[in-house]
Short mmCIF file of all heavy atoms in Angstrom, two decimals:
data_model
loop_
_atom_site.label_atom_id
_atom_site.label_comp_id
_atom_site.label_asym_id
_atom_site.label_seq_id
_atom_site.Cartn_x
_atom_site.Cartn_y
_atom_site.Cartn_z
N SER A 53 -20.76 7.12 -12.34
CA SER A 53 -21.09 7.80 -13.60
C SER A 53 -20.72 6.91 -14.78
O SER A 53 -19.83 6.06 -14.68
CB SER A 53 -20.32 9.11 -13.69
OG SER A 53 -18.93 8.86 -13.83
N PRO A 54 -21.39 7.09 -15.92
CA PRO A 54 -21.02 6.33 -17.12
C PRO A 54 -19.56 6.53 -17.50
O PRO A 54 -18.90 5.58 -17.94
CB PRO A 54 -21.96 6.90 -18.19
CG PRO A 54 -23.13 7.40 -17.44
CD PRO A 54 -22.58 7.94 -16.14
N SER A 55 -19.03 7.74 -17.30
CA SER A 55 -17.62 7.96 -17.65
C SER A 55 -16.69 7.18 -16.73
O SER A 55 -15.63 6.70 -17.16
CB SER A 55 -17.30 9.46 -17.59
OG SER A 55 -17.45 9.96 -16.29
N PHE A 56 -17.09 7.02 -15.45
CA PHE A 56 -16.26 6.23 -14.53
C PHE A 56 -16.29 4.76 -14.93
O PHE A 56 -15.25 4.09 -14.96
CB PHE A 56 -16.77 6.39 -13.10
CG PHE A 56 -15.91 5.68 -12.09
CD1 PHE A 56 -14.82 6.31 -11.52
CD2 PHE A 56 -16.17 4.36 -11.73
CE1 PHE A 56 -14.01 5.65 -10.60
CE2 PHE A 56 -15.37 3.69 -10.82
CZ PHE A 56 -14.28 4.34 -10.25
N ILE A 57 -17.48 4.25 -15.24
CA ILE A 57 -17.60 2.86 -15.70
C ILE A 57 -16.74 2.64 -16.93
O ILE A 57 -16.01 1.63 -17.06
CB ILE A 57 -19.07 2.51 -16.01
CG1 ILE A 57 -19.90 2.45 -14.72
CG2 ILE A 57 -19.17 1.19 -16.78
CD1 ILE A 57 -19.66 1.21 -13.89
N ALA A 58 -16.80 3.58 -17.86
CA ALA A 58 -16.02 3.44 -19.10
C ALA A 58 -14.52 3.48 -18.81
O ALA A 58 -13.75 2.73 -19.41
CB ALA A 58 -16.41 4.54 -20.07
N ALA A 59 -14.11 4.37 -17.90
CA ALA A 59 -12.68 4.45 -17.56
C ALA A 59 -12.20 3.17 -16.90
O ALA A 59 -11.13 2.64 -17.22
CB ALA A 59 -12.44 5.64 -16.64
N LEU A 60 -13.01 2.65 -15.98
CA LEU A 60 -12.64 1.40 -15.32
C LEU A 60 -12.59 0.25 -16.32
O LEU A 60 -11.67 -0.58 -16.28
CB LEU A 60 -13.64 1.10 -14.20
CG LEU A 60 -13.40 -0.18 -13.40
CD1 LEU A 60 -12.03 -0.18 -12.75
CD2 LEU A 60 -14.48 -0.37 -12.35
N ALA A 61 -13.55 0.21 -17.22
CA ALA A 61 -13.55 -0.83 -18.25
C ALA A 61 -12.27 -0.78 -19.08
O ALA A 61 -11.68 -1.81 -19.42
CB ALA A 61 -14.77 -0.69 -19.14
N HIS A 62 -11.85 0.42 -19.39
CA HIS A 62 -10.62 0.60 -20.17
C HIS A 62 -9.42 0.00 -19.44
O HIS A 62 -8.60 -0.71 -20.04
CB HIS A 62 -10.40 2.09 -20.44
CG HIS A 62 -9.13 2.40 -21.15
ND1 HIS A 62 -9.01 2.31 -22.53
CD2 HIS A 62 -7.91 2.80 -20.70
CE1 HIS A 62 -7.78 2.63 -22.88
NE2 HIS A 62 -7.09 2.93 -21.79
N VAL A 64 -9.44 -2.28 -16.95
CA VAL A 64 -9.58 -3.73 -16.79
C VAL A 64 -9.23 -4.46 -18.08
O VAL A 64 -8.59 -5.52 -18.06
CB VAL A 64 -11.01 -4.08 -16.32
CG1 VAL A 64 -11.22 -5.59 -16.32
CG2 VAL A 64 -11.26 -3.52 -14.92
N ARG A 65 -9.64 -3.90 -19.20
CA ARG A 65 -9.32 -4.54 -20.48
C ARG A 65 -7.82 -4.63 -20.71
O ARG A 65 -7.34 -5.56 -21.37
CB ARG A 65 -9.97 -3.77 -21.64
CG ARG A 65 -11.47 -3.94 -21.76
CD ARG A 65 -11.95 -3.37 -23.09
NE ARG A 65 -13.40 -3.37 -23.15
CZ ARG A 65 -14.15 -2.31 -22.87
NH1 ARG A 65 -13.58 -1.17 -22.53
NH2 ARG A 65 -15.47 -2.38 -22.94
N SER A 89 -16.01 -13.35 -17.91
CA SER A 89 -16.97 -12.24 -17.95
C SER A 89 -16.96 -11.52 -16.60
O SER A 89 -16.95 -12.16 -15.55
CB SER A 89 -18.38 -12.76 -18.25
OG SER A 89 -19.32 -11.70 -18.26
N ILE A 90 -16.96 -10.19 -16.67
CA ILE A 90 -16.95 -9.37 -15.45
C ILE A 90 -18.03 -8.30 -15.58
O ILE A 90 -18.06 -7.56 -16.56
CB ILE A 90 -15.58 -8.69 -15.23
CG1 ILE A 90 -14.47 -9.74 -15.08
CG2 ILE A 90 -15.62 -7.79 -14.00
CD1 ILE A 90 -13.08 -9.13 -14.99
N ASP A 91 -18.91 -8.25 -14.59
CA ASP A 91 -19.88 -7.17 -14.51
C ASP A 91 -19.31 -6.15 -13.53
O ASP A 91 -19.25 -6.40 -12.32
CB ASP A 91 -21.24 -7.68 -14.03
CG ASP A 91 -22.33 -6.62 -14.12
OD1 ASP A 91 -21.98 -5.41 -14.12
OD2 ASP A 91 -23.52 -6.98 -14.18
N LEU A 92 -18.85 -5.03 -14.05
CA LEU A 92 -18.19 -4.04 -13.20
C LEU A 92 -19.08 -3.55 -12.08
O LEU A 92 -18.59 -3.12 -11.03
CB LEU A 92 -17.72 -2.86 -14.06
CG LEU A 92 -16.66 -3.19 -15.11
CD1 LEU A 92 -16.31 -1.94 -15.92
CD2 LEU A 92 -15.41 -3.77 -14.47
N ARG A 93 -20.39 -3.61 -12.26
CA ARG A 93 -21.30 -3.16 -11.21
C ARG A 93 -21.20 -4.02 -9.96
O ARG A 93 -21.54 -3.57 -8.86
CB ARG A 93 -22.74 -3.16 -11.74
CG ARG A 93 -22.98 -2.12 -12.84
CD ARG A 93 -24.29 -2.32 -13.53
NE ARG A 93 -24.36 -3.62 -14.23
CZ ARG A 93 -25.33 -3.98 -15.06
NH1 ARG A 93 -26.34 -3.15 -15.30
NH2 ARG A 93 -25.31 -5.17 -15.63
N ILE A 96 -18.35 -2.36 -7.72
CA ILE A 96 -18.40 -0.94 -7.36
C ILE A 96 -19.57 -0.68 -6.43
O ILE A 96 -20.68 -1.16 -6.66
CB ILE A 96 -18.56 -0.05 -8.60
CG1 ILE A 96 -17.48 -0.36 -9.65
CG2 ILE A 96 -18.49 1.43 -8.22
CD1 ILE A 96 -17.70 0.37 -10.97
N SER A 180 -12.12 7.87 -21.46
CA SER A 180 -13.52 8.23 -21.23
C SER A 180 -13.69 9.46 -20.35
O SER A 180 -14.76 10.03 -20.29
CB SER A 180 -14.26 7.06 -20.58
OG SER A 180 -13.85 6.93 -19.24
N PRO A 188 -20.96 11.54 -25.53
CA PRO A 188 -20.50 10.39 -24.75
C PRO A 188 -20.39 9.17 -25.66
O PRO A 188 -20.93 9.14 -26.75
CB PRO A 188 -21.61 10.19 -23.70
CG PRO A 188 -22.84 10.71 -24.39
CD PRO A 188 -22.38 11.87 -25.24
N ASN A 189 -19.68 8.18 -25.18
CA ASN A 189 -19.50 6.96 -25.96
C ASN A 189 -20.24 5.83 -25.26
O ASN A 189 -19.71 5.21 -24.34
CB ASN A 189 -18.01 6.63 -26.09
CG ASN A 189 -17.78 5.50 -27.08
OD1 ASN A 189 -18.66 4.66 -27.30
ND2 ASN A 189 -16.61 5.47 -27.69
N PRO A 190 -21.48 5.52 -25.63
CA PRO A 190 -22.27 4.53 -24.91
C PRO A 190 -21.70 3.13 -24.99
O PRO A 190 -21.91 2.32 -24.11
CB PRO A 190 -23.65 4.62 -25.58
CG PRO A 190 -23.37 5.17 -26.94
CD PRO A 190 -22.21 6.09 -26.78
N ILE A 191 -20.95 2.82 -26.05
CA ILE A 191 -20.37 1.48 -26.16
C ILE A 191 -19.33 1.27 -25.06
O ILE A 191 -19.30 0.23 -24.40
CB ILE A 191 -19.74 1.28 -27.56
CG1 ILE A 191 -20.82 1.38 -28.64
CG2 ILE A 191 -19.03 -0.05 -27.63
CD1 ILE A 191 -20.28 1.30 -30.05
N GLU A 192 -18.50 2.28 -24.85
CA GLU A 192 -17.46 2.18 -23.81
C GLU A 192 -18.06 2.05 -22.41
O GLU A 192 -17.44 1.52 -21.52
CB GLU A 192 -16.56 3.42 -23.86
CG GLU A 192 -15.54 3.40 -24.99
CD GLU A 192 -14.40 2.42 -24.72
OE1 GLU A 192 -14.00 2.26 -23.56
OE2 GLU A 192 -13.95 1.79 -25.67
N ALA A 193 -19.29 2.54 -22.23
CA ALA A 193 -19.88 2.56 -20.90
C ALA A 193 -20.55 1.25 -20.51
O ALA A 193 -21.10 1.14 -19.43
CB ALA A 193 -20.90 3.69 -20.81
N ASP A 194 -20.52 0.24 -21.37
CA ASP A 194 -21.13 -1.05 -21.05
C ASP A 194 -20.40 -1.66 -19.85
O ASP A 194 -19.19 -1.89 -19.90
CB ASP A 194 -21.03 -1.99 -22.25
CG ASP A 194 -21.80 -3.28 -22.06
OD1 ASP A 194 -22.20 -3.56 -20.91
OD2 ASP A 194 -21.99 -4.02 -23.04
N PRO A 195 -21.10 -1.94 -18.74
CA PRO A 195 -20.42 -2.45 -17.54
C PRO A 195 -20.08 -3.94 -17.60
O PRO A 195 -19.36 -4.43 -16.74
CB PRO A 195 -21.43 -2.17 -16.43
CG PRO A 195 -22.75 -2.25 -17.12
CD PRO A 195 -22.53 -1.69 -18.49
N ILE A 196 -20.62 -4.66 -18.57
CA ILE A 196 -20.37 -6.10 -18.66
C ILE A 196 -19.27 -6.34 -19.69
O ILE A 196 -19.43 -6.05 -20.88
CB ILE A 196 -21.65 -6.87 -19.03
CG1 ILE A 196 -22.73 -6.63 -17.98
CG2 ILE A 196 -21.34 -8.36 -19.15
CD1 ILE A 196 -24.06 -7.29 -18.31
N LEU A 197 -18.16 -6.86 -19.21
CA LEU A 197 -17.00 -7.09 -20.07
C LEU A 197 -16.85 -8.57 -20.34
O LEU A 197 -17.04 -9.40 -19.44
CB LEU A 197 -15.73 -6.56 -19.39
CG LEU A 197 -15.77 -5.12 -18.89
CD1 LEU A 197 -14.42 -4.74 -18.26
CD2 LEU A 197 -16.13 -4.16 -20.00
N SER A 198 -16.51 -8.90 -21.56
CA SER A 198 -16.34 -10.30 -21.96
C SER A 198 -14.91 -10.55 -22.37
O SER A 198 -14.32 -9.77 -23.14
CB SER A 198 -17.29 -10.62 -23.13
OG SER A 198 -17.12 -11.96 -23.55
N PHE A 199 -14.34 -11.63 -21.85
CA PHE A 199 -12.97 -12.01 -22.17
C PHE A 199 -12.93 -13.50 -22.54
O PHE A 199 -12.59 -14.35 -21.71
CB PHE A 199 -12.05 -11.75 -20.97
CG PHE A 199 -12.07 -10.32 -20.50
CD1 PHE A 199 -12.76 -9.97 -19.35
CD2 PHE A 199 -11.44 -9.33 -21.23
CE1 PHE A 199 -12.80 -8.67 -18.92
CE2 PHE A 199 -11.48 -8.01 -20.80
CZ PHE A 199 -12.16 -7.67 -19.64
#
Side-chain angles (χ1 to χ4, degrees):
S53 68
S55 63
F56 184 88
I57 290 285
L60 180 58
H62 176 82
V64 172
R65 287 192 187 97
S89 179
I90 299 175
D91 188 337
L92 297 178
R93 293 168 297 189
I96 307 173
S180 73
N189 189 334
I191 297 176
E192 282 287 325
D194 187 347
I196 301 177
L197 308 181
S198 179
F199 303 104

